[in-house]
Amino acid sequence: DGEPGRLKVALLAPSFPAAFMELQPERLIGAIRRLGFDRVCEVAFGADLNSHVYHELRDAPPQKPIITTACPAIVYFVQKYAPELIQHLAPVVSPMAVMSQVVRQLYGAGSGVVFIGPCIGKKMEARDPLSGSAVDEVLTFQELVQLLAEAGIDPASAEPSEFDPPEAGLGQLFPVSAGLLKSADIREAPLDTSIISTNGRRRCMWVLTDFNKEHFSAEFIDLLMCEGCVNGPAMANGPGLYRRKEHVVRYARSRVLQADLDTWRASVDEWLARVDQTRRFEADPCPRLTPPPEELARVLRQMGKEKPEDELNCGACGY
C-alpha cells in the first residue's frame, strides 16, 4: 500500500497489449488503479522522447558505431562480457528511466513509482545508480497477474480507464523488432549497410562477436536480446510471437490515428527540454575461470560420481 498520502504511480510498458490480448486495454488500466495506483502512465511516451535523441545521434557525423541502449540485457551483457565495446553504447537512458523522471516532475519527487513490464532485466536497471532510473520497484506482467488474483480483482470486469498524461505516439512501437528505428524515423534502405537491426539472443551475439572485425561497417546497431520485448521472459500469457507483434502494432495505430498530433508534439518538445536523457556506463567484467582438475573431481565426488564411468555427460544439465 505504501506510505499514507504518498502518490503511487504505475508505469506500464508498451508491450502490455501483447501480454493481455483478450483484455480491453482500458480495463487493464482500471484494474491497475483498483490495486491502489493513483496514476497509470505509459512508458511509450518515454520512448517518444528517446526517439528524438536517437534520431539526432543517427544524423550526427558518425564518430564510431553506436549500439542502442533501450534493452538492459544488451547493456549488461556488454558491461560484463564485452567491456571493450562500452565506448560504443549510446549514452542514452532507457524509456523506463526517462519516463520515471517525467512522472516525478509531474506528480512529485516523493511519489512511489513502479514499472510494470515483461523484462526481468529492468529489475537490475532500476537498482543501477548509473541508469538514470528513478523507479522504486519493478513488477513483471506475471507478477501483476499474481497481485490482481491475490487482491481478488478480475481485470475483465474492472471499470475502464484511460492513461494519465502525457500521451504517447509512435514510441508504442518500441517493443517490436526495429520499433526504435520506426519511431525515430531512421530508415533502413535496401542497399544501406550502415544500419543493423536485429533481435534474439543468438543473432545479437553474432553481431557483437563480429563488431571489431575489419569487414564490420555498420554505424548504427539496434539490438533487442529477446525477439522484441513482446517476447520478453515475463510476458503474462498470449499466443505466438507474430500475433503479439500484430496486436501491439494494431493498438499503436488506433491510438495514433485518434491522437491530437499538435498537442502530442508540443508535449514532446516541452519534456525534451525538461529531462536529462544522458547516461554513462562502467565495465563490470565477469571473470571466466577454469576450475583446476582436482576441484572438478571434488565436486563430482559430492555428486556421487566416483569413477569416470559415472560421468554420463548427457549434455542436459551443463555441469
Side-chain angles (χ1 to χ4, degrees):
D1 292 335
E3 300 172 14
R6 187 187 190 196
L7 204 69
K8 295 173 281 295
V9 183
L11 301 183
L12 194 56
S15 53
F16 82 92
F20 301 90
M21 290 182 60
E22 305 305 320
L23 187 64
Q24 182 185 357
E26 291 76 16
R27 290 195 185 276
L28 177 64
I29 297 169
I32 293 173
R33 292 192 194 280
R34 283 189 59 189
L35 270 178
F37 287 96
D38 304 292
R39 301 286 186 272
V40 183
C41 299
E42 45 188 335
V43 175
F45 182 76
D48 288 332
L49 301 180
N50 259 186
S51 297
H52 281 258
V53 177
Y54 280 111
H55 186 85
E56 292 174 356
L57 281 175
R58 178 69 184 105
D59 282 352
Q63 301 297 318
K64 57 190 176 186
I66 295 171
I67 302 172
T68 61
T69 51
C71 174
I74 292 294
V75 169
Y76 295 123
F77 179 88
V78 169
Q79 288 180 304
K80 288 182 176 296
Y81 300 106
E84 69 279 4
L85 301 182
I86 283 181
Q87 61 178 317
H88 297 284
L89 292 175
V92 183
V93 298
S94 73
M96 177 189 81
V98 69
M99 196 60 197
S100 69
Q101 295 182 38
V102 170
V103 297
R104 288 201 183 276
Q105 289 190 43
L106 268 178
Y107 303 121
S111 301
V113 181
V114 177
F115 172 85
I116 305 172
C119 179
I120 297 172
K122 287 295 183 187
K123 292 179 180 285
M124 185 172 179
E125 180 186 337
R127 289 160 176 74
D128 183 348
L130 299 181
S131 72
S133 169
V135 167
D136 292 302
E137 295 293 342
V138 169
L139 291 175
T140 67
F141 287 142
Q142 293 172 351
E143 290 168 334
L144 173 62
V145 169
Q146 182 179 346
L147 284 177
L148 290 169
E150 291 175 354
I153 298 172
D154 177 12
S157 61
E159 182 178 350
S161 181
E162 300 289 340
F163 279 117
D164 290 289
E167 186 175 352
L170 289 179
Q172 295 169 89
L173 296 176
F174 255 57
V176 300
S177 178
L180 185 153
L181 301 185
K182 293 181 175 72
S183 60
D185 195 26
I186 298 174
R187 304 181 186 278
E188 293 180 277
L191 301 179
D192 184 4
T193 60
S194 67
I195 298 174
I196 290 177
S197 177
T198 194
N199 57 82
R201 178 177 59 87
R202 291 185 182 277
R203 287 186 288 272
C204 288
M205 295 305 99
W206 292 337
V207 172
L208 294 173
T209 300
D210 281 349
F211 203 94
N212 286 325
K213 295 181 179 178
E214 291 183 5
H215 65 271
F216 195 86
S217 60
E219 299 169 358
F220 192 93
I221 301 99
D222 178 32
L223 302 178
L224 292 175
M225 189 67 82
C226 301
E227 299 282 348
C229 304
V230 293
N231 200 43
M235 291 292 285
N237 52 40
L241 173 62
Y242 293 99
R243 277 200 62 200
R244 294 180 190 178
K245 291 180 179 179
E246 180 185 29
H247 213 67
V248 168
V249 172
R250 186 184 299 126
Y251 176 72
R253 184 189 301 123
S254 68
R255 293 281 309 287
V256 170
L257 290 176
Q258 297 173 22
D260 181 336
L261 294 182
D262 290 335
T263 300
W264 171 75
R265 290 191 186 98
S267 182
V268 168
D269 289 341
E270 174 192 354
W271 284 104
L272 283 172
R274 293 176 62 176
V275 296
D276 180 8
Q277 296 196 65
T278 60
R279 70 162 294 183
R280 63 188 181 89
F281 307 92
E282 289 182 355
D284 183 23
C286 184
R288 301 183 182 185
L289 302 177
T290 301
E294 56 272 18
E295 180 67 14
L296 284 174
R298 184 183 66 81
V299 172
L300 287 170
R301 284 195 299 272
Q302 288 180 336
M303 299 169 65
K305 301 181 184 298
E306 303 285 347
K307 303 182 292 295
E309 53 266 33
D310 296 331
E311 301 171 22
L312 302 178
N313 194 19
C314 68
C317 77
Y319 84 84

